[in-house]
Amino acid sequence: MNFKKKMEEAVIAENDGEAAATVEVPEELDSKSRNQLILEKLNDGSLGRVGDVVLRGLDTKFTRILFSAASVVVVLYTIYIAFFGMPTILFHRISHVAVILMVCPLIYPSKIFKEGSKPEMIFNAICTVLGLVSAIYALIHWKDFYSYSLSTVDMIFLVTLVVMVLEATRRSIGIPMVFIAALAIVYCLLGSHFPGALAHKGYSFTRVINMICVGTEGLFSSTLGTAAVEIAAFMIFSALLQVSGALQYFMRLAFALAGGFSGGPAKVAVISSAMMGMVSGSTVANVTATGSLTIPLMKMMGFEPTYAGSVEACSSAGGSITPPVLGATAFLIAEMLDKSYWEIAVAAVIPAILYYVSLFNSVHIRSVKEGLVGIDREYLPKLWVSFKAALFLILPLAILIGLMAMHYSALLSAIYSTLALFVVTMLKKETRLSLNGLGKVCRIALKSMVSVSTACASAGVIVATLAMTGLGQKVGSIITEFAGGNLVFGLMLTQLAALLLGTGLVTPATYTLLAVLCAPALINMGAVPIAAHLFIFHFAIIGTLTPPVSLAAFAAAGIAGSNPMKTGLAAFRLALPGFLVPYFFVINPSLIGQGSVPEILINFVTAAVGVMFIDYALEGFIRHKINFVSRILCAAAGVGMVFPNYIISLIAAGLGVVAILVDRMVFGNQQKHS
């Protein structure tokens, strides 16, 4: 096996202020010592747990108390509204924005002044006060805004509110989202000066602010409402899962299942990230939580750092498209389509399985190709023991899935499963939380809400301006015109837009924009509505793997100590088979559960075999390195078998058989001559 003589220092992965535990690797390890270290680190309870939130913007005793108090209130309030209902919609949403604007400058540095300097602290304090005061003003006067034209004082506070929302977005997400929002506002004001189809009559500044801030069509839209209710509830669930150390049981089970196979740690990364991602709903958080264990282990087993980082990034991204939670964006899809969350989760099952079949197979091929064996089974956790140890986690997950299947609200389902998780973690000494641990759960949950809520609020600003100017409909017409009414071309244009936006925006923001701009055009060209929205969702997720700003890959590169751009490119290549699946579930919705059971099963099986052949083509390896002709045969077989047409799939299967026979003949001849 190819071991490095000297391992790099363990990297402390930081996810917006949360420190993740990592594996400390000695300079040299023989096989036995390496395996003992793996088992020790797996069982000592330190790995996979996230550190407490660090207030990088304004860290004082008072702000720590303020942030902790706010986080406890938000968690208790979310539990309260699940059982007793919420106040008026606007009161709830504006209150949520007030808390987010208050805490965001405490958590995130401005990146304008030196972190920790006096100017930085003063600026962050000003932003905290301005955000809170402007939101409270809107909270007090929101009813009055409907009864009269906005006064000068109203305008001052509401403009301040918009600026503070965009500033919070810049801190927590980055400049691209702010740039798009600012451009949208400018477009509203100066639309009469734009050429051709982009032109509109133009609106006054007061009218634009009124559209953004008054009512539920702009800043306080249903998108923000989803972030403040359902997404907030699942952030609490995820935080409890991580802080309690319950993630360890997922990891042990993953090691017991796959650790002994060729390339075991990489397969563990795929399985554990899928398990974690199914309930965490955050790609970057998933990378730091599971990657802090799996990436160093992959490097120890002989994988190059770039490939190790790319495997973790792709695995974590896949978690966000995997039921039952699907990431924050799934709730937005349900809101957009006016469907139950359960319908969205059911539709996402087959595409998620296909994604992981491809990823797992690709890791296996690479492992065999490089001769990377697994961990000695005598050092691995026993499967049955690991399964029994993880049984306590089945109850909260079963409650979550069962309640959603029974069409309970996502909020109530999440809160019931969170309470069940709390009970079962308190029954085990290893996962039992102290009062400080519970406070940590609240703080991490609130920190997780900030980036999603700011993204949704800014997306609301953009969507309001698009509705005001009619640009959304115009873009849909432009896409239809460029595509010539051809659905496949329309999908390609939408994919390009999703990948471009996804490189710089978080997934909820990318999805919201494209759901308004592109989904109607795809539906007009013949796509089933749920398929069109899931298509956008998938590529919004894959955008986090797409250079030049591949957020998930960059987070993984930080842990792996690899070049971020090379890691992003490797992740992009690794996820390529996943690019085809969304096309085919739009063309044939049986892959999202639309159709008869036999049709769904047949198309699922052929698609699963198809993505495996695409992996063979990309890696250029079946049982040994294959030539160019065999790679073409494998690629054609893969695409044809994923394509939802029985005749094409049959022909493709024949091509696949030919590719395998050629490989066996060549491999057999090589063995005879060796």
Side-chain angles (χ1 to χ4, degrees):
M1 185 176 299
N2 181 26
F3 293 106
K4 292 188 175 182
K5 290 184 178 179
K6 186 172 182 179
M7 305 302 291
E8 302 166 77
E9 290 185 357
V11 181
I12 297 298
E14 203 169 278
N15 178 28
D16 295 332
E18 293 174 22
T22 55
V23 177
E24 294 183 2
V25 183
E27 291 186 0
E28 292 186 9
L29 286 175
D30 57 29
S31 178
K32 183 176 180 179
S33 299
R34 183 199 69 224
N35 291 332
Q36 288 174 336
L37 174 66
I38 290 171
L39 187 60
E40 176 188 338
K41 290 296 181 180
L42 188 62
N43 292 323
D44 67 5
S46 63
L47 294 170
R49 292 178 187 259
V50 292
D52 210 338
V53 175
V54 177
L55 302 184
R56 296 173 57 202
L58 186 57
D59 187 7
T60 66
K61 183 177 181 180
F62 173 75
T63 56
R64 287 194 293 272
I65 294 172
L66 177 66
F67 181 77
S68 295
S71 66
V72 172
V73 169
V74 168
V75 169
L76 293 177
Y77 172 72
T78 304
I79 295 172
Y80 173 85
I81 64 174
F83 294 110
F84 302 105
M86 69 176 68
T88 307
I89 288 176
L90 271 174
F91 184 90
H92 170 72
R93 294 175 187 175
I94 298 173
S95 300
H96 184 76
V97 169
V99 174
I100 295 302
L101 293 183
M102 178 183 72
V103 302
C104 184
L106 307 182
I107 306 171
Y108 296 97
S110 69
K111 300 177 183 176
I112 297 174
F113 305 102
K114 183 180 178 180
E115 192 171 325
S117 66
K118 190 172 182 179
E120 167 77 351
M121 296 179 71
I122 293 173
F123 179 68
N124 291 338
I126 291 172
C127 288
T128 296
V129 172
L130 288 178
L132 182 61
V133 169
S134 59
I136 290 175
Y137 182 87
L139 188 63
I140 294 172
H141 295 282
W142 68 268
K143 291 182 180 178
D144 300 331
F145 295 152
Y146 289 98
S147 58
Y148 60 81
S149 299
L150 297 179
S151 66
T152 302
V153 175
D154 294 336
M155 285 293 294
I156 291 173
F157 278 102
L158 293 181
V159 169
T160 302
L161 179 63
V162 174
V163 171
M164 289 298 101
V165 166
L166 296 180
E167 167 61 10
T169 304
R170 181 190 69 83
R171 289 171 182 259
S172 60
I173 299 174
I175 198 67
M177 186 73 175
V178 179
F179 176 77
I180 295 172
L183 192 63
I185 293 173
V186 170
Y187 178 65
C188 275
L189 298 172
L190 305 177
S192 59
H193 300 288
F194 280 73
L198 293 177
H200 63 85
K201 65 180 182 179
Y203 296 93
S204 68
F205 188 65
T206 301
R207 178 78 181 276
V208 173
I209 295 299
N210 186 85
M211 181 68 180
I212 292 173
C213 297
V214 178
T216 58
E217 300 300 321
L219 192 64
F220 308 113
S221 67
S222 59
T223 304
L224 176 69
T226 301
V229 180
E230 290 90 350
I231 295 175
F234 276 95
M235 293 297 183
I236 298 169
F237 181 83
S238 174
L240 179 58
L241 185 71
Q242 295 177 66
V243 175
S244 67
L247 174 61
Q248 287 292 311
Y249 294 87
F250 283 146
M251 288 186 171
R252 289 185 195 126
L253 184 57
F255 265 95
L257 285 169
F261 293 105
S262 179
K267 292 173 181 175
V268 168
V270 175
I271 296 173
S272 61
S273 295
M275 289 177 173
M276 178 62 187
M278 285 190 298
V279 291
S280 76
S282 173
T283 298
V284 176
N286 195 4
V287 168
T288 57
T290 60
S292 58
L293 170 62
T294 58
I295 290 175
L297 292 181
M298 280 188 270
K299 291 169 63 179
M300 290 170 66
M301 297 302 293
F303 284 101
E304 288 297 318
T306 296
Y307 187 76
S310 69
V311 169
E312 179 58 47
C314 291
S315 303
S316 296
S320 296
I321 59 174
T322 306
V325 176
L326 281 166
T329 310
F331 301 105
L332 303 180
I333 300 174
E335 178 72 30
M336 288 278 189
L337 292 174
D338 194 24
K339 290 181 177 290
S340 70
Y341 177 80
W342 178 250
E343 292 177 84
I344 307 300
V346 169
V349 169
I350 292 177
I353 293 174
L354 293 177
Y355 180 90
Y356 276 109
V357 165
S358 169
L359 187 58
F360 196 88
N361 187 54
S362 180
V363 167
H364 175 74
I365 296 167
R366 176 65 68 96
S367 303
V368 173
K369 184 166 69 172
E370 297 189 2
L372 303 174
V373 299
I375 301 168
D376 295 343
R377 287 199 173 273
E378 63 178 296
Y379 295 104
L380 288 172
K382 303 301 181 185
L383 179 58
W384 177 240
V385 173
S386 300
F387 178 74
K388 286 195 297 183
L391 273 176
F392 77 104
L393 292 173
I394 291 178
L395 177 62
L397 293 177
I399 289 174
L400 175 63
I401 296 170
L403 290 179
M404 289 196 297
M406 295 165 62
H407 300 291
Y408 279 73
S409 70
L411 171 62
L412 198 58
S413 301
I415 294 302
Y416 270 125
S417 58
T418 301
L419 294 177
L421 179 61
F422 171 73
V423 171
V424 297
T425 55
M426 294 301 286
L427 293 176
K428 290 181 72 74
K429 182 180 178 180
E430 296 84 358
T431 57
R432 190 175 301 145
L433 293 174
S434 63
L435 283 177
N436 183 58
L438 292 174
K440 183 177 171 183
V441 170
C442 297
R443 290 189 290 272
I444 289 177
L446 178 56
K447 200 280 314 178
S448 300
M449 295 176 199
V450 171
S451 59
V452 176
S453 295
T454 54
C456 290
S458 293
V461 172
I462 298 167
V463 171
T465 57
L466 293 177
M468 191 175 192
T469 60
L471 182 61
Q473 291 81 1
K474 291 177 183 177
V475 170
S477 300
I478 292 170
I479 290 175
T480 304
E481 183 178 345
F482 269 93
N486 185 292
L487 179 58
V488 174
F489 289 147
L491 292 172
M492 292 172 67
L493 291 172
T494 302
Q495 172 194 336
L496 179 61
L499 292 180
L500 289 174
L501 287 175
T503 60
L505 302 182
V506 292
T507 303
T510 302
Y511 166 76
T512 303
L513 293 181
L514 294 179
V516 174
L517 293 173
C518 301
L522 297 180
I523 294 168
N524 288 337
M525 285 185 272
V528 174
I530 192 171
H533 284 263
L534 283 175
F535 180 90
I536 292 169
F537 175 42
H538 271 245
F539 280 107
I541 292 289
I542 293 175
T544 65
L545 304 173
T546 308
V549 190
S550 39
L551 299 177
F554 284 8
I559 302 171
S562 58
N563 181 286
M565 191 60 65
K566 289 183 179 179
T567 305
L569 289 170
F572 180 79
R573 182 177 179 274
L574 193 59
L576 272 177
F579 279 48
L580 290 176
V581 174
Y583 280 90
F584 292 124
F585 70 58
V586 173
I587 296 171
N588 188 341
S590 67
L591 291 178
I592 53 171
Q594 309 284 308
S596 65
V597 174
E599 180 186 10
I600 292 170
L601 289 176
I602 291 171
N603 284 324
F604 166 62
V605 171
T606 57
V609 176
V611 295
M612 293 173 69
F613 272 101
I614 295 172
D615 291 330
Y616 296 141
L618 288 173
E619 289 291 342
F621 190 91
I622 298 180
R623 289 195 300 174
H624 77 295
K625 186 176 180 180
I626 58 177
N627 59 32
F628 180 75
V629 174
S630 295
R631 293 180 77 163
I632 294 296
L633 285 174
C634 286
V639 173
M641 293 187 77
V642 177
F643 194 85
N645 180 287
Y646 296 136
I647 296 175
I648 293 177
S649 294
L650 189 61
I651 295 171
L655 293 176
V657 170
V658 170
I660 291 173
L661 289 176
V662 169
D663 174 68
R664 288 193 173 185
M665 290 171 60
V666 174
F667 186 68
N669 290 334
Q670 285 183 345
Q671 283 188 322
K672 288 178 182 178
H673 289 85
S674 60

